[in-house]
Amino acid sequence: MGCISPDGKPTDSGTRLLRALESGLRSPEEVARETGLPLFRVRSGLRDLTSAGLAAPRDDRYELTPKGSDLLATLA
Amino acid sequence: MEQLKEEVGLPRLGERAPDFEALTTQGTIKLDDYKGSWLILFSHPADFTPVCTTEFIAFADIYEELQERGVELLGLSVDSISSHIAWVRNVQEKLGVKIPFPIIADLNKDVALRYGMIHEGQSKTETVRCVFIIDPNQVIRAILYYPLTTGRNMAEILRLVEALQTTDEHGVATPANWQPGDKVIVPPPNTQEMAEERLGQGYECKDWYLCMKAL
């Protein structure tokens, strides 16, 4: 996965994606604007976070899962 | 492999770019991830080779300018992820250039075959130097092929992108050796009536079929 290390910790870009979802549902375009990451990286990264159970898609947007929120709390 | 090549064929201008999902130096990327952006998908023969190294530095040099025009870069060769990582780290360490765009590790040649990047007259195992310019609707708009021996010209790639974007924005064509800021070609008329009217429309016309205008 591009934004989750093999040890389960998010990379710098993974952390930025998680933080962008902290305040609620966001579209990939909104996350790209907020993080400054290119849109293709955001789409790919959100897919990775979803596979890892850290984020979940709803309609065309994404939100943190409880597991994602817990992980983010440990990074603060 | 023969059967796959026959089934897939070579992509053509105006067709939808073949889908892919590939391992890259920036994670797993799908073609769909680039929807809404222009994309330059380019292949190189192999990591740790001299011409490719000069090209990657040159692509890195124009990356910011491309991004300002809404264009992303995506490299490809049939090397492994470990080889790509080692090579881009080496380029940064020895030549001081950070490669900012992802590179597909196409070890099973899945993407290379879909895009016709292996030309057996050049090499049975390496991709030639291909450039596919794909528009925001994921349609192939331009294709360049360069041989293994010859590095690509970044100024021409930038010019080609700008020409395509100008065509889309203004509904015009661009003449030979066109550069941004030069006059553009007004599409020729389709009927005799339009041809007669064309000469009085204020364009700079050599004749009814060759009219230019400034943007």
Side-chain angles (χ1 to χ4, degrees), chain B residues 24-42:
Chain B
T24 81
T25 48
Q26 295 185 8
T28 301
I29 291 178
K30 296 180 178 183
L31 176 65
D32 274 359
D33 292 336
Y34 291 98
K35 256 186 193 158
S37 305
W38 288 79
L39 171 65
I40 297 177
L41 170 64
F42 69 99

Side-chain angles (χ1 to χ4, degrees), chain A residues 1-3 29 38-41 43-45 47-48, chain B residues 26-30 32-35 63 67 72 102:
Chain A
M1 286 189 197
C3 65
E29 289 78 9
L39 185 55
F40 78 90
R41 286 286 304 273
R43 287 173 173 154
S44 161
R47 206 163 47 239
D48 285 352
Chain B
Q26 295 185 8
T28 301
I29 291 178
K30 296 180 178 183
D32 274 359
D33 292 336
Y34 291 98
K35 256 186 193 158
Y63 184 60
Q67 283 201 306
E72 287 293 345

Side-chain angles (χ1 to χ4, degrees), chain B residues 120-132:
Chain B
E120 293 192 352
Q122 285 273 299
S123 169
K124 288 183 167 43
T125 55
E126 297 171 317
T127 44
V128 294
R129 302 181 195 284
C130 305
V131 177
F132 290 87

